[in-house]
Amino acid sequence: MTSQDKPTNLTFTNIKSRSAEISWINPENTGDGVLTGFWIIIKKENSSILNIITKKVKKYKSDNLSPYTTYEISVAAGNKNGFSEGKTTSFTTSEDGPEGPPLNVTVIADSSSLLSVTWEPPKKDKRNGIIVSYTVCISHEESKPCFREYATKNKMIVIDNLFASTKYYVRVLASTKVGRGSYSESKGKFTNGNQPEVSTNGTAYTLTFSLEIPSRNFTHFYVVALELKDGQESQSPASYRNNELVTYTEAEKSTDPKPYIAAILTSKDENMFILGDGGNTSNPTSRRRRSTSSDYYNGPLEPGTSYSIFQRIFIHNKGEYYSTDWSPASKTNEYSGGPRVLTKISSGDIKAKEGELVNLLCSAQGELPITFTWEKDQQPLESLVKIKQPHRSSFLVVTVKDQTSFGKYICLIRDRFKCTTTHTISIQKLKDT
């Protein structure tokens, strides 16, 4: 490095989004040699993007820059002996319209008249400035002009006043204060169909709904049911993926209510559907017949419990579908029954002697599954379930050991709705004759 001074008054003029002009004043002290040129280094994020030596000039134009980007520039004066220390400063190019579209555009059908759209900003290196607004375009076909446009500063919007069971295409672009960017790819989405009607008839185990039969052609549709807990707000039917819809058995085993496929239907002719009728249906588009264990079981409902349903309509074998809105909540009747002891089959009071084996039979009918437990003097006893259909029975084998074996044996019977009843059998001591 020579003893000459650095250039002075390093100045930027005509700064644009992709270029800038740099000028300076030659150093007065050129050391022990004549000024021969300048060494210019431009850095972006500490990486050199330009490293050149010029002739004896007083300005330089740098092209191929990126919009809205800060650059560091160093200019050193040179003579025959080398270069001075560089004069360093920085500048920021002006903004431009975004080069990339918004990312992760997601469209969800909130109802039969609403679509919600969310997205993320363009890639950082494609924004070219500060994003000040977004434009959301909605059209009837993928590449057709927008019939509606919405401007927003947010990264989401709800589109309303749409038609039910209709496919719309949505795309989004970002804008800086300088200009607009390019649109994202169009995302097609159906609004929900109109909701099935509220149940008009029901029992403790079933609800009857009037289905919404599609006007367009379809291959089949699911009837999806959900048990409603107090105060529960169900998410939009369209937000459930197909693999989130479980079977009746899986829903029963789950600690939290899950939407389950109660039936798969193909006919336009019958619009009344009984939820909980115990029927089985299978997917008509499966390549091979599903096994009975894999069929969709429309199992009985819980008494005094609210349910709602929606339909998922498949338009063709390619898997495109849309869903209806949830039906209004409908409640099954309260359960007024309970397990019933079959007294003609069950054991009555028995007399026995010490040392004998006594078989006690407790038999009942009711809503399956029925469970039996035995106890004596509030202590549980081991039993054997013997007969399952059409009623259930439980055997208790008692070894009459001593005086403590005599007394009341209580059979506690519980049905699937946790309703209980009891049957009491006394073993009395048979007196010696």
Side-chain angles (χ1 to χ4, degrees), residues 174 185 391:
E185 291 185 2
H391 47 73

Side-chain angles (χ1 to χ4, degrees), residues 181-364:
S182 56
Y183 271 114
S184 62
E185 291 185 2
S186 289
K187 297 281 186 177
K189 192 69 178 180
F190 277 94
T191 50
N192 287 349
N194 292 321
Q195 64 185 18
E197 296 299 321
V198 66
S199 173
T200 55
N201 186 27
T203 68
Y205 321 113
T206 65
L207 291 168
T208 302
F209 291 90
S210 176
L211 299 179
E212 181 69 21
I213 301 301
S215 57
R216 66 171 66 241
N217 291 330
F218 65 95
T219 59
H220 61 285
F221 62 85
Y222 295 162
V223 178
V224 180
L226 179 67
E227 178 185 336
L228 303 177
K229 295 295 186 182
D230 292 340
Q232 177 185 3
E233 291 188 5
S234 303
Q235 63 192 69
S236 169
S239 66
Y240 289 106
R241 298 187 299 272
N242 285 330
N243 61 8
E244 293 180 290
L245 306 178
V246 301
T247 64
Y248 174 85
T249 302
E250 291 169 329
E252 269 202 317
K253 292 178 181 177
S254 174
T255 55
D256 296 318
K258 289 186 176 182
Y260 66 91
I261 301 172
I264 300 182
L265 305 179
T266 59
S267 174
K268 285 187 175 183
D269 300 329
E270 184 59 57
N271 71 328
M272 301 307 294
F273 177 76
I274 300 175
L275 182 65
D277 69 358
N280 284 278
T281 52
S282 58
N283 194 331
T285 63
S286 295
R287 292 185 178 179
R288 57 182 181 179
R289 182 68 169 85
R290 298 170 66 97
S291 66
T292 302
S293 62
S294 299
D295 284 348
Y296 291 102
Y297 176 48
N298 185 14
L301 308 180
E302 298 286 337
T305 304
S306 294
Y307 292 84
S308 188
I309 69 168
F310 73 84
Q311 296 162 241
R312 175 153 291 179
I313 297 100
F314 290 82
I315 300 170
H316 46 60
N317 291 331
K318 294 180 181 179
E320 188 172 25
Y321 61 83
Y322 67 93
S323 301
T324 67
D325 285 338
W326 284 108
S327 70
S330 300
K331 192 173 184 179
T332 51
N333 296 336
E334 296 293 338
Y335 179 55
S336 57
R340 181 171 63 89
V341 177
L342 300 179
T343 56
K344 291 184 179 181
I345 300 177
S346 300
S347 299
D349 293 344
I350 297 175
K351 292 184 178 182
K353 295 180 180 180
E354 291 184 11
E356 291 184 338
L357 288 177
V358 177
N359 293 327
L360 305 184
L361 174 62
C362 180
S363 187

Side-chain angles (χ1 to χ4, degrees), residues 4-5 7 24-27 29-38 55-58 76-80 82-84:
Q4 63 182 312
D5 292 342
W24 57 87
I25 295 177
N26 295 342
N29 173 24
T30 60
D32 57 355
V34 178
L35 184 67
T36 58
F38 296 92
K55 295 180 179 180
K56 186 179 176 182
V57 295
K58 293 185 178 181
N79 60 25
K80 64 180 181 179
F83 288 92
S84 68

Side-chain angles (χ1 to χ4, degrees), residues 1-7 27 39 75-78 82-87:
M1 185 173 293
T2 67
S3 60
Q4 63 182 312
D5 292 342
K6 297 183 288 186
W39 183 11
V75 181
F83 288 92
S84 68
E85 183 181 346
K87 174 68 174 179

Side-chain angles (χ1 to χ4, degrees), residues 100-103 105-107 117-120 133-137 150 152 154 157 170-174 181-187:
L103 305 175
V105 177
T106 302
V107 186
V117 189
T118 59
W119 59 88
E120 296 298 328
S133 67
Y134 296 93
T135 301
V136 180
C137 162
Y150 299 85
T152 179
N154 301 318
I157 196 169
V170 179
R171 52 192 188 266
V172 186
L173 64 77
S182 56
Y183 271 114
S184 62
E185 291 185 2
S186 289
K187 297 281 186 177

Side-chain angles (χ1 to χ4, degrees), residues 388-415:
K388 293 187 177 181
Q389 297 292 348
H391 47 73
R392 287 201 171 190
S393 299
S394 176
F395 269 115
L396 178 69
V397 179
V398 178
T399 301
V400 182
K401 296 180 180 178
D402 51 33
Q403 186 66 32
T404 61
S405 300
F406 297 107
K408 294 182 178 181
Y409 289 79
I410 299 173
C411 174
L412 179 65
I413 309 159
R414 183 189 299 267
D415 69 9

